[in-house]
Amino acid sequence: MATAGKGLGKAIARAKQLAEPALMRVRATEFARRLKAEYEAGKAGDPEPPADGETETEAEQVANAMRAVDWAKVRAATGERKAEAAAAMRSMAAEVDWSKVQPVAAKVSSALIAAVASGQLGVGGRLGGTVARAIINDRNLAHQVSTELVKHDQPLPPDFRNVIDVTGTER
């Protein structure tokens, strides 16, 4: 009985392993779609400016999510140049106007892109849209996230722009 249970457990683990790249691809595609929608809404102009403190709260939420990221795993996943991670990074990075993003905000944006592409930062729920806005630095959100990290004596995340350069997506 125990052997059958182990076999079933191994089969389930293997099935999850095989499904993970497909799931990652679906997540990346969905995130890129949401990111594009957020970007287009921003370009069209948001009829209502955020309420006082709302952007600060969003910056805190993204900063808190970034604090929980295992950056070593992100580096490993993006360093291996896995096809899924590279495709996800290309999709997300294509939405960022890198020439207009301040260096510290670009560092946060690139780190968020890498964290999402590697699966270390989930994009589900309400936080997904906020992360998308931070990636494109909507209303200077990426810069505010970096300020939030520094304010709480947290180190800034690693800069992944060199990985984005390698995948040929930085404009």
Side-chain angles (χ1 to χ4, degrees):
M1 186 80 157
T3 306
K6 275 187 181 179
L8 180 59
K10 285 182 182 181
I12 290 171
R14 180 70 180 140
K16 279 180 73 175
Q17 240 180 358
L18 292 173
E20 187 63 31
L23 182 58
M24 177 95 82
R25 201 172 307 116
V26 168
R27 280 191 218 147
T29 302
E30 174 62 21
F31 182 77
R33 186 190 62 73
R34 276 192 274 162
L35 180 64
K36 180 88 172 166
E38 289 283 338
Y39 176 71
E40 292 301 326
K43 276 183 19 181
D46 195 350
E48 290 181 35
D52 287 341
E54 183 178 326
T55 306
E56 273 184 38
T57 301
E58 290 174 335
E60 285 177 30
Q61 291 170 342
V62 175
N64 286 336
M66 290 179 80
R67 286 183 194 108
V69 171
D70 184 339
W71 294 107
K73 288 182 179 179
V74 173
R75 278 187 197 265
T78 58
E80 294 169 0
R81 310 272 192 277
K82 291 183 178 178
E84 296 83 17
M89 289 177 70
R90 273 193 296 277
S91 294
M92 289 180 271
E95 300 303 325
V96 178
D97 186 350
W98 296 101
S99 64
K100 293 183 179 178
V101 180
Q102 297 170 355
V104 72
K107 187 174 183 178
V108 168
S109 292
S110 72
L112 286 169
I113 288 170
V116 170
S118 68
Q120 291 295 309
L121 181 61
V123 292
R126 180 178 164 99
L127 185 60
T130 306
V131 169
R133 290 186 45 246
I135 287 174
I136 62 172
N137 199 31
D138 182 44
R139 295 187 190 109
N140 208 24
L141 186 55
H143 188 268
Q144 291 177 10
V145 169
S146 70
T147 301
E148 185 67 28
L149 289 168
V150 170
K151 182 169 81 174
H152 293 286
D153 294 325
Q154 297 292 315
L156 287 176
D159 193 343
F160 289 89
R161 285 179 287 175
N162 61 336
V163 176
I164 294 169
D165 278 340
V166 170
T167 61
T169 59
E170 188 163 317
R171 300 188 225 179

